[in-house]
Amino acid sequence: DAKTTQPNSMESNEEEPVHLPCNHSTISGTDYIHWYRQLPSQGPEYVIHGLTSNVNNRMASLAIAEDRKSSTLILHRATLRDAAVYYCILRDTQHTEGAQKLVFGQGTRLTINP
Amino acid sequence: NAGVTQTPKFQVLKTGQSMTLQCAQDMNHEYMSWYRQDPGMGLRLIHYSVGAGITDQGEVPNGYNVSRSTTEDFPLRLLSAAPSQTSVYFCASRNRGRNSPLHFGNGTRLTVT
């Protein structure tokens, strides 16, 4: 399975943008990039996903490098409620759906300062 | 909609005891899975199911059994609990689509003494 590498922790200030990086140098052409986050004492929740083009939704934006070997999750204006662990995951869409096993790494622990 | 509901929220077991962690979803999702989360280890897949009557092993299946008799329910059984099974357990479900997002429950915190 293709792996991802993320910084263990990052810190930012409230109301400022946050850029969370993810490296995935062994990504294959059919792997989608998914992001989840886990708030304290909760299960992970889906944030966004993309293949090649940059993506936006109400929660965040996803910027994907042209060679797809890295991506960045962008929180445009962080709030205290965005403090969480953020996971970058590669999703293999080529093989049998039943074999899709999302692999959650350590993620990045994001701290937001008031 | 309740989404994915896990019960109980907390449980303490003695070594050798058995128990079932319950998971139910009301979104008519075909796919369900169980993960465990340990400090410094991220989430690891235990078992998963692609539909009623079909289950398969994930990354760390030993010591756990599952069955899927209905679309809605996917219980996880510990037949003889061990201290190494102390963990937080998350159940998740998703639609059939290959990029459909996982929906997680809020977890069961299990301690085995």
Side-chain angles (χ1 to χ4, degrees):
Chain A
D1 293 334
K3 303 281 187 223
T4 63
T5 304
Q6 300 177 251
N8 288 336
S9 62
M10 290 184 64
E11 200 168 325
S12 185
N13 297 320
E14 199 174 9
E15 298 186 4
E16 291 184 357
V18 180
H19 291 235
L20 296 161
C22 181
N23 287 322
H24 29 78
S25 58
T26 59
I27 190 170
S28 74
T30 53
D31 285 340
Y32 277 71
I33 302 156
H34 283 242
W35 284 81
Y36 283 74
R37 72 178 186 180
Q38 187 173 18
L39 303 173
S41 300
Q42 292 188 26
E45 66 174 341
Y46 166 80
V47 177
I48 200 167
H49 76 272
L51 181 63
T52 56
S53 306
N54 295 346
V55 184
N56 300 297
N57 66 20
R58 63 173 180 82
M59 290 181 72
S61 295
L62 176 60
I64 301 171
E66 199 169 331
D67 64 4
R68 300 208 328 123
K69 294 187 176 183
S70 65
S71 61
T72 303
L73 181 71
I74 303 165
L75 308 179
H76 294 286
R77 202 160 171 255
T79 70
L80 296 177
R81 288 176 297 175
D82 291 320
V85 178
Y86 287 79
Y87 298 98
C88 168
I89 300 158
L90 298 183
R91 186 124 177 219
D92 176 11
T93 59
Q94 179 181 11
H95 298 101
T96 306
E97 288 191 86
Q100 288 186 29
K101 305 173 186 179
L102 291 195
V103 178
F104 285 75
Q106 302 283 349
T108 298
R109 183 172 298 277
L110 176 65
T111 302
I112 304 295
N113 300 316
Chain B
N1 283 345
V4 178
T5 303
Q6 292 184 238
T7 56
K9 287 185 167 43
F10 302 94
Q11 183 70 50
V12 179
L13 289 178
K14 293 190 188 315
T15 298
Q17 285 185 318
S18 62
M19 81 157 296
T20 299
L21 278 62
Q22 301 292 345
C23 176
Q25 53 93 6
D26 61 0
M27 297 172 283
N28 203 31
H29 286 169
E30 289 189 34
Y31 298 85
M32 297 186 74
S33 51
W34 276 100
Y35 287 83
R36 61 177 288 174
Q37 186 171 37
D38 303 295
M41 299 290 289
L43 280 90
R44 293 181 292 169
L45 181 66
I46 304 171
H47 285 286
Y48 66 98
S49 169
V50 300
I54 307 169
T55 64
D56 206 344
Q57 296 181 349
E59 184 186 354
V60 287
N62 292 339
Y64 307 96
N65 279 353
V66 291
S67 60
R68 184 96 180 271
S69 56
T70 66
T71 300
E72 294 78 19
D73 300 299
F74 191 42
L76 179 72
R77 296 183 188 83
L78 284 70
L79 297 178
S80 179
S84 60
Q85 294 178 305
T86 294
S87 187
V88 181
Y89 291 85
F90 290 101
C91 178
S93 72
R94 68 175 179 86
N95 264 328
R96 186 183 180 88
R98 291 191 173 188
N99 274 306
S100 59
L102 282 171
H103 298 258
F104 283 85
N106 280 330
T108 294
R109 184 175 293 276
L110 175 68
T111 302
V112 183
T113 61

